[in-house]
Amino acid sequence: MLTKRIIPCLDIKDGRTVKGVNFENIRDAGDPIELGALYAEQGADELVFLDITATVERRKTLAELVTRIARHINIPFTVGGGISSVEDVRILLNAGADKVSVNSAAFRRPELLNELAQEFGSQCVVLAIDTKFEDGDWYVYLNGGRVKTESKTTDWAKEAVERGAGEILLTSMNNDGTKQGFALDITGRLAQDLSVPIIASGGAGTMQHFADVFEIAQADAALAASIFHYKEMEIQDLKKYLYQRNLSIRF
Amino acid sequence: MKTVIIKYNAGNIRSVLFALERLNIEGVVTDDPKEIQAADKVIFPGVGEASSAMKYLQEKGLDKVIKNLEQPTLGICLGQQLMCKHSEENNTECLGIFDLNVKKFTSPVENLLKIPQIGWNNITGLHSKIFEHVPQNAYMYFVHSYYAELGSETTAIANYVINYSAALQKNNFYAVQFHPEKSAEHGEKLIESFLNL
């Protein structure tokens, strides 16, 4: 039986792991390769590396980092951050990434999703959406949560899947960094409405939160960062807990 | 020992190379028929689309080369599908090493089954030398929308609403639908067993 996936997320800036709380106040959390390998050993099902470096050299340094990760880590990983063209994706996949995640660039030019699916296949195209609940609905935010759009998250996610996105990585800005649990309503709506896997992100604080997002919202995967980086929760303990809750989990 | 990875227009070759590297084996990536024929072990990887991959193999004359290999040969993911008889993906005639058809997953109820299947699934009924050090029910990493049906050549079964061939073997030809190069320690054991054949 296909299992629910636990995915640690490593935010990368200038080759180091960082974690923002509510997308602000970034703080150092260690070497990405070391952390990634440790998580793989502890039973992480996949890894996500999000590059938040803003320098001109970023594309080259990111490709080099991706190759180092691919060399050392024996589970699948996704790379995201500032990806805006077929060429960007080609470089990262050739460097050894299994999947890429696109966000703002795909929203601004949705044809990018069609192009990526056509060129590399939907299975390696993850659409990341940062979403916030306001005025009675969930809206899409861009540029790491700094720019609001008028698009509803459900509409954009549906269009993205039609265009070729193979998975949706949904981050609730209301929940991110709060440790009060995942956004069950919007995650559940997408999981029910869409034919592709949904990765829930933002708000994980307890093991119960993971069980809820799998059982109630029917998410296919759950992503978290700081609780793993700061060793507030061990992946093995989490997976054991979920297994005991009768969820399908890999050991 | 020389291990060759067949180069064609399908991704994922680098991941296989790195997996070999972690086992201290240097793989050679090539589309040269002579070099492929002379290798001790051949790996036929693949992530991509069946019809364009088959067209590329035919243009390079690699279709005949692969079919006639006599050394241990391991197809991975699309590699396995291309080693079957026919694929529903753009109605493609494949290499026909395995007498099986490749079909697309269909969801019995809308959105119940996410397609492609992405993630870790367990494999059962293991009976092939490449599984010598892999336990029954081991989890492997799968990413695919198409699957090979069950048949007498099936050496591992996975279930995604239906049972299908997670692995196949016929004589020197081995194939797996999952990605051993991304399946942590069980995947590593499988690759190691293949290299030790």
Side-chain angles (χ1 to χ4, degrees):
Chain A
M1 196 176 167
L2 188 68
T3 67
K4 301 289 188 185
R5 287 172 277 157
I6 301 296
I7 308 179
C9 176
L10 294 84
D11 285 355
I12 306 289
K13 186 167 185 283
D14 305 321
R16 300 279 297 172
T17 312
V18 292
K19 170 61 191 167
V21 176
N22 284 340
F23 291 92
E24 285 166 22
N25 301 324
I26 281 161
R27 166 172 139 197
D28 196 312
D31 174 63
I33 314 268
E34 242 171 73
L35 254 183
L38 180 71
Y39 291 146
E41 215 172 283
Q42 293 175 341
D45 296 305
E46 277 183 53
L47 298 171
V48 169
F49 294 89
L50 283 182
D51 182 48
I52 55 169
T53 310
T55 58
V56 187
E57 284 288 285
R58 66 186 298 277
R59 205 158 91 163
K60 196 167 158 257
T61 46
L62 181 59
E64 283 164 4
L65 179 67
V66 165
T67 297
R68 282 179 56 216
I69 297 165
R71 234 179 244 284
H72 290 101
I73 290 179
N74 60 9
I75 59 169
F77 69 97
T78 303
V79 179
I83 295 169
S84 60
S85 69
V86 169
E87 197 44 35
D88 286 345
V89 173
R90 191 188 310 282
I91 289 168
L92 294 172
L93 293 179
N94 284 342
D98 298 292
K99 311 178 201 178
V100 293
S101 89
V102 289
N103 190 331
S104 304
F107 184 87
R108 295 209 167 91
R109 199 175 68 78
E111 297 76 26
L112 178 63
L113 293 170
N114 304 71
E115 293 164 12
L116 295 178
Q118 171 101 37
E119 190 72 23
F120 310 109
S122 288
Q123 82 289 335
C124 66
V125 183
V126 180
L127 176 75
I129 304 177
D130 294 329
T131 186
K132 196 171 182 179
F133 187 79
E134 284 176 326
D135 308 325
D137 212 333
W138 291 90
Y139 289 89
V140 177
Y141 271 69
L142 304 180
N143 293 30
R146 289 187 297 273
V147 178
K148 192 194 172 193
T149 75
E150 295 306 314
S151 285
K152 288 182 181 173
T153 295
T154 45
D155 295 341
W156 169 225
K158 191 162 183 280
E159 181 187 340
V161 170
E162 281 162 9
R163 288 180 178 276
E167 280 179 283
I168 304 281
L169 166 53
L170 180 74
T171 303
S172 162
M173 295 168 59
N174 302 72
N175 301 61
D176 196 61
T178 65
K179 298 190 180 170
Q180 298 297 307
F182 294 94
L184 300 179
D185 55 347
I186 184 65
T187 305
R189 270 160 75 189
L190 293 193
Q192 195 163 40
D193 285 357
L194 302 176
S195 58
V196 302
I198 308 298
I199 305 164
S201 159
T206 66
M207 296 187 191
Q208 174 80 43
H209 293 153
F210 285 89
D212 288 345
V213 84
F214 292 140
E215 287 169 357
I216 300 168
Q218 295 290 312
D220 299 279
L223 177 145
S226 53
I227 51 162
F228 298 139
H229 300 336
Y230 300 127
K231 298 193 164 53
E232 289 161 32
M233 193 185 292
E234 296 287 338
I235 293 169
Q236 284 150 323
D237 297 340
L238 171 62
K239 292 185 94 170
K240 200 167 154 194
Y241 169 85
L242 294 170
Y243 181 77
Q244 284 163 351
R245 293 277 302 243
N246 277 327
L247 283 155
S248 174
I249 293 292
R250 173 183 76 108
F251 282 103
Chain B
M1 188 181 81
K2 190 165 180 190
T3 304
V4 148
I5 300 169
I6 298 177
K7 179 179 159 189
Y8 66 117
N9 64 336
N12 193 42
I13 284 175
R14 200 116 195 240
S15 305
V16 176
L17 265 182
F18 288 149
L20 293 178
E21 195 183 288
R22 287 192 290 271
L23 294 167
N24 294 317
I25 301 282
E26 197 188 337
V28 178
V29 179
T30 181
D31 59 1
D32 174 10
K34 286 205 175 66
E35 211 174 351
I36 296 169
Q37 282 157 346
D40 297 297
K41 300 279 161 29
V42 177
I43 298 179
F44 180 38
V47 170
E49 189 274 325
S51 69
S52 58
M54 270 311 294
K55 197 165 156 244
Y56 184 92
L57 292 175
Q58 284 156 356
E59 278 167 13
K60 295 266 174 183
L62 290 173
D63 53 335
K64 292 191 183 67
V65 172
I66 295 169
K67 269 197 285 196
N68 293 315
L69 289 173
E70 289 173 0
Q71 63 275 59
T73 299
L74 176 66
I76 297 175
C77 195
L78 180 64
Q80 168 177 296
Q81 296 177 9
L82 295 178
M83 287 160 89
C84 292
K85 195 167 60 183
H86 176 270
S87 172
E88 275 185 7
E89 190 170 22
N90 292 315
N91 192 21
T92 304
E93 287 304 319
C94 300
L95 296 170
I97 293 167
F98 301 112
D99 190 24
L100 291 169
N101 291 310
V102 174
K103 298 178 172 174
K104 187 165 188 181
F105 284 124
T106 48
S107 185
V109 180
E110 204 189 354
N111 298 334
L112 178 74
L113 196 66
K114 309 277 177 163
I115 301 167
Q117 171 177 226
I118 299 180
W120 298 83
N121 203 334
N122 57 329
I123 55 173
T124 57
L126 313 184
H127 61 281
S128 168
K129 277 195 166 169
I130 58 172
F131 295 118
E132 205 172 2
H133 301 289
V134 177
Q136 295 286 342
N137 278 313
Y139 283 97
M140 297 291 188
Y141 190 78
F142 291 81
V143 181
H144 61 129
S145 300
Y146 294 83
Y147 65 91
E149 54 187 6
L150 294 177
S152 58
E153 295 147 339
T154 302
T155 57
I157 299 167
N159 180 281
Y160 196 49
V161 174
I162 48 128
N163 285 337
Y164 66 94
S165 292
L168 299 166
Q169 190 198 336
K170 184 183 181 182
N171 308 324
N172 59 313
F173 291 103
Y174 299 78
V176 291
Q177 177 58 59
F178 50 86
H179 288 277
E181 75 281 11
K182 286 287 164 182
S183 293
E185 67 275 17
H186 294 320
E188 270 162 15
K189 289 286 179 215
L190 185 149
I191 295 173
E192 214 172 2
S193 296
F194 169 73
L195 295 174
N196 287 333
L197 284 172

